[in-house]
Structure formats: structure tokens, C-alpha cells
């Protein structure tokens, strides 16, 4: 019966590692852009909506306060009175004017007048801050949408790796292929052996990473991934599998992580 092992990296490429006991959580806020990009979609959309809604509400409240403090709301319908914003008759209209200002919709019904210097200053501040919010939030959404997670779904690895003779040399082999017609440029591949080990001094190293040579010396790790390719690791004196028998290979607890890197030709 095959043992169910806890994987270091799942089959879909997600790292099965959770960070615990992180005390310096403020470091996530110092790089807020990457933090927002790494959030789950539901949280990213929530922050996206709140960023705009709270900005509109905040400036809408200020527009209403200006109109209230100037007495514009007390002179509604008075054609001899010049308000700060024409046709602003309450908080709802102030909120709508805030949306129109920040999104540059400009319906033309509510418009600022030139007799309100505080309104002109507020208009400049909202235009500048609105541009910053747009650049930041749209940038986050664009980076999140363009992440290569979905592109990796069309990169297919063989379900099993095999150990067999190839040109009279014992090799560990697996196959990789790309399903799309858009090629991956500068594709390279490398492999890591994840296994706990104990040093000669008695130190125990959990999840130690060892490189498996897949052609770095000869350049075979640089792939021209047009058709499916067989990646081969020669088991020689430099290989960590050199002293491992077949029976020990079946009993040992280890994991091989294969990393394929490259750039998508279209994007």
C-alpha cells in the first residue's frame, strides 16, 4: 500500500508551506503593493471597492461641510446667492459630485463656481489623490490578472518519473510539454531534491535542498519547448542517488521539485 506523504510542493505548483510565529508583521505593510497583489481575489476585490467608495465618501463629506459652512444649503433656490457648487442641495448630491469629480465624468448639472477658493483647493486635492488611487489600484489589479498562474496550467509534466538506462547510463527521466502555440522564450529547467539529512557533526537539517543536474554544464537545461521533451538526470558519482538502491529508493522519504522558468512570447 502506497504511503500518503505530505508534499513540500503540490502538483499544481503551490508551495505547501505556512509561515508561523512571524513577529515583524509590519514588514508586510512597508511593501503594501506586493501584499495586495498576494492577497486572495475576494480580499483584493473588497479592498478595491473600499478604496474608491471611502475616497468618494470622504470627499463628498468635505464638499457637504463646505456647502453647509458657507450657508449654501440655506439659500437653495435663491438665484441671487452664488454657492460653492451649483445644484448641491444635500449630502447625496455632494457624494455624487465627489464621484463625478474623481472619475472626471462631468455631467454638467453640478459644477463648482469661481467664488469658492476652498472648493478650488479641494478640487485640486481630489483630482491629484484620485489619480494616485487609480494608478495604485488599477496597477494592483493588472499585476494580479497578469500573473502566470493560469499560463502554467497548460504546462504539462509526466505523472511519473522513471529510472532507466539511456545510452548505457542510468538516468532519472521525466517529460515536460507545452500545450499552447505561443512559445516560452528563454525556457530553462532545474530540479531540486528535498530531503531531511544529518551532517557528519550530528546536525539535523530538515527539508535540505540539493541540486539535481539536468544539463547545466552542457546547456541542456535551456529548453526549446516546441514539442514535448524528456528531461534526464544522469545518476553518476555526483548524483545524490548514486549510493541508493532500488529498495531504499522506495522506502526513503524525499521529494523532487522541478522548476520551469521562462517568458511568454505573446506577453
Amino acid at each position: 500500500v502506497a504511503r500518503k506523504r505530505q508534499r513540500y510542493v503540490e502538483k499544481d505548483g503551490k508551495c505547501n508551506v505556512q509561515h508561523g510565529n512571524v513577529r515583524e508583521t509590519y514588514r508586510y505593510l512597508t511593501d503594501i503593493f506586493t501584499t495586495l497583489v498576494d492577497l486572495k481575489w475576494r480580499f483584493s476585490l473588497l479592498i478595491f471597492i473600499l478604496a474608491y467608495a471611502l475616497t468618494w465618501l470622504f470627499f463628498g463629506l468635505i464638499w457637504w461641510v463646505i456647502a453647509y459652512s458657507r450657508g449654501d444649503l440655506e439659500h437653495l433656490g435663491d438665484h441671487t446667492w452664488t454657492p460653492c457648487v451649483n445644484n448641491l442641495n444635500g449630502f447625496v448630491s455632494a457624494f455624487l459630485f465627489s464621484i463625478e469629480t474623481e472619475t472626471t465624468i462631468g455631467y454638467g448639472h453640478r459644477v463648482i463656481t469661481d467664488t469658492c477658493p476652498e472648493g478650488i483647493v479641494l478640487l485640486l486635492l481630489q483630482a491629484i489623490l484620485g489619480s494616485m488611487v487609480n494608478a495604485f489600484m488599477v496597477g494592483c489589479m493588472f499585476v494580479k490578472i497578469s500573473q502566470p498562474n493560469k499560463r502554467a496550467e497548460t504546462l504539462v509534466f509526466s505523472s511519473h518519473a522513471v529510472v532507466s538506462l539511456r545510452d548505457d547510463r542510468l538516468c532519472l527521466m521525466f517529460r515536460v510539454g507545452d500545450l499552447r502555440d505561443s512559445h516560452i522564450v528563454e525556457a530553462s529547467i532545474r530540479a531540486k531534491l528535498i530531503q531531511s539529512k544529518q551532517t557528519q557533526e550530528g546536525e539535523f537539517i530538515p527539508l535540505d535542498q540539493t541540486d539535481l543536474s539536468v544539463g547545466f554544464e552542457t546547456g541542456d537545461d535551456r529548453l526549446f519547448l516546441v514539442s514535448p521533451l524528456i528531461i534526464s538526470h544522469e545518476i553518476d558519482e555526483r548524483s545524490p542517488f548514486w549510493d541508493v538502491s532500488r529498495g531504499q529508493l522506495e522506502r526513503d522519504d524525499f521529494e523532487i521539485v522541478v522548476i520551469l522558468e521562462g517568458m511568454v512570447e505573446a506577453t
Side-chain angles (χ1 to χ4, degrees), residues 18-264:
Q18 294 182 354
H19 297 283
N21 197 23
V22 179
R23 298 178 180 178
E24 299 179 353
T25 54
Y26 67 90
R27 295 182 179 272
Y28 293 105
L29 297 178
T30 57
D31 187 14
I32 187 66
F33 186 85
T34 306
T35 301
L36 291 177
V37 172
D38 290 339
L39 287 176
K40 294 182 179 179
W41 266 108
R42 55 180 177 269
F43 297 117
S44 295
L45 292 176
L46 177 62
I47 293 176
F48 185 86
I49 295 172
L50 287 178
Y52 284 102
L54 293 178
T55 305
W56 295 336
L57 284 172
F58 174 73
F59 281 101
L61 179 62
I62 297 179
W63 285 114
W64 179 82
V65 169
I66 291 177
Y68 180 81
S69 62
R70 283 172 50 89
D72 296 343
L73 301 180
E74 300 174 359
H75 295 81
L76 297 176
D78 187 357
H79 298 288
T80 62
W81 179 266
T82 303
C84 183
V85 179
N86 289 327
N87 300 307
L88 195 152
N89 52 21
F91 178 75
V92 175
S93 59
F95 175 67
L96 292 176
F97 179 72
S98 175
I99 297 176
E100 295 168 15
T101 301
E102 190 166 328
T103 57
T104 65
I105 294 176
Y107 288 126
H109 183 65
R110 280 173 289 270
V111 60
I112 190 172
T113 61
D114 56 1
T115 60
C116 182
E118 61 268 33
I120 296 174
V121 173
L122 181 60
L123 181 67
L124 295 175
L125 290 177
Q126 186 172 4
I128 295 173
L129 184 61
S131 299
M132 295 173 62
V133 172
N134 283 330
F136 189 82
M137 298 310 301
V138 173
C140 285
M141 288 294 107
F142 178 78
V143 173
K144 196 170 183 64
I145 291 172
S146 61
Q147 283 182 328
N149 298 336
K150 297 302 180 182
R151 179 63 177 88
E153 296 292 335
T154 53
L155 290 172
V156 183
F157 290 83
S158 53
S159 300
H160 300 86
V162 298
V163 177
S164 179
L165 288 174
R166 196 180 207 192
D167 294 332
D168 203 28
R169 292 176 295 181
L170 200 61
C171 298
L172 170 69
M173 294 176 287
F174 57 91
R175 177 174 286 185
V176 60
D178 188 6
L179 300 180
R180 288 192 177 274
D181 294 332
S182 58
H183 302 314
I184 296 181
V185 184
E186 295 292 333
S188 63
I189 196 165
R190 52 197 175 103
K192 292 279 188 179
L193 174 66
I194 311 295
Q195 186 179 30
S196 301
K197 78 169 187 177
Q198 189 170 4
T199 64
Q200 297 179 359
E201 294 78 15
E203 178 188 3
F204 179 75
I205 304 177
L207 302 176
D208 181 64
Q209 299 184 12
T210 305
D211 281 316
L212 295 179
S213 176
V214 287
F216 177 78
E217 300 86 354
T218 60
D220 290 338
D221 63 324
R222 315 294 292 183
L223 305 180
F224 183 50
L225 198 58
V226 177
S227 60
L229 299 176
I230 296 178
I231 311 300
S232 176
H233 164 68
E234 183 179 349
I235 303 178
D236 54 12
E237 294 85 353
R238 298 173 297 174
S239 173
F241 298 119
W242 176 251
D243 297 327
V244 179
S245 64
R246 177 177 179 178
Q248 185 180 356
L249 192 67
E250 296 175 351
R251 293 191 306 268
D252 282 351
D253 191 9
F254 65 91
E255 185 174 340
I256 298 176
V257 178
V258 179
I259 304 168
L260 176 65
E261 297 175 314
M263 295 178 291
V264 178

